[in-house]
Amino acid sequence: MKLGIISDIHCNIHGLRQALAAFDSVDEILCLGDSINESQFSNETISELKARAAHVILGNHEEAFLSSAGGRARDDNGIDRALLAWLADQPLRRTLNVGGRKLLMVHSTPWEPRGEYVFPHSARLERFAEADADFVLYGHTHAQVIRRIGRVLVINPGSAGEACYRDNTWRLNCVILDTATDEVERIDFPDPRFADPA
């Protein structure tokens, strides 16, 4: 099975659409949280994820938006209430059975308390081997990771919404995981918000 994996869209509908276009051949789409911003909802972003039947979890930005602190942001009259309710129904973590193998989706870490930023060269990445899963997918850092730790294949797809500057351009990221072969295809693409004017 091929899985299109995205994270940290942060209301960037243009980045999301480019990632989805790269996922034409995938069987399922997984979103690892922070599809919105803590003070901004995006009807377009959530509508696209829902229409593609994506497996979505909540990140720290959704948690803040849906908390008491996000009350003012949620009062925005432009928010589609059905889409907001759909997002609010998504879990903080999700376990999927993919071809007899266990896949764990988290936004930051498999352990509690959540919220730690585990970057590619952090020694804390070794803790992902403790997870009871064959694959652990996480986001939060906007930094790509593809590493086998013990028996666990750990994947962070990077960010499909907040670009990093590389190769003289602002780049967004996502990945495709083939669960039959454990091969991971890295996909980088320019953030259209920073495109040079023609």
Side-chain angles (χ1 to χ4, degrees):
M1 178 177 282
K2 288 193 174 182
L3 305 175
I5 306 167
I6 48 177
S7 191
D8 297 273
I9 301 161
H10 293 289
C11 297
N12 183 349
I13 187 62
H14 308 292
L16 173 60
R17 286 179 177 152
Q18 283 193 259
L20 293 176
F23 291 163
D24 274 351
S25 65
V26 305
D27 301 296
E28 301 279 352
I29 295 171
L30 284 58
C31 178
L32 305 175
D34 284 2
S35 52
I36 61 170
N37 290 318
E38 63 183 359
S39 60
Q40 178 189 11
F41 191 83
S42 169
N43 292 330
E44 289 178 301
T45 298
I46 303 308
S47 179
E48 290 268 3
L49 291 170
K50 185 177 181 211
R52 292 292 293 264
H55 298 279
V56 174
I57 61 170
L58 303 179
N60 56 295
H61 279 258
E62 285 93 351
E63 283 193 86
F65 187 87
L66 295 167
S67 74
S68 57
R72 192 172 188 182
R74 290 193 309 276
D75 285 342
D76 182 334
N77 289 332
I79 294 175
D80 182 315
R81 298 296 150 183
L83 290 174
L84 177 58
W86 180 85
L87 182 64
D89 278 344
Q90 303 310 307
L92 292 168
R93 59 193 294 144
R94 190 184 293 270
T95 302
L96 302 175
N97 185 312
V98 205
R101 302 173 79 191
K102 191 172 182 180
L103 182 147
L104 175 63
M105 298 169 59
V106 295
H107 181 64
S108 55
T109 59
W111 59 84
E112 296 289 338
R114 322 184 279 288
E116 187 174 348
Y117 286 86
V118 182
F119 289 97
H121 302 294
S122 169
R124 302 284 283 165
L125 199 57
E126 297 300 318
R127 281 204 64 189
F128 280 73
E130 299 168 11
D132 178 23
D134 299 291
F135 306 101
V136 176
L137 313 180
Y138 81 108
H140 198 42
T141 64
H142 303 186
Q144 278 192 337
V145 173
I146 301 167
R147 188 177 308 168
R148 185 166 294 284
I149 303 173
R151 70 176 192 86
V152 181
L153 182 57
V154 179
I155 299 170
N156 185 323
S159 173
E162 291 293 329
C164 61
Y165 195 71
R166 190 171 61 253
D167 301 327
N168 295 317
T169 188
W170 290 96
R171 310 293 292 178
L172 298 169
N173 321 100
C174 59
V175 301
I176 296 175
L177 166 64
D178 185 329
T179 61
T181 63
D182 289 3
E183 290 180 12
V184 182
E185 177 187 353
R186 296 175 190 254
I187 300 168
D188 287 354
F189 49 93
D191 188 331
R193 298 174 304 175
F194 297 101
D196 291 331

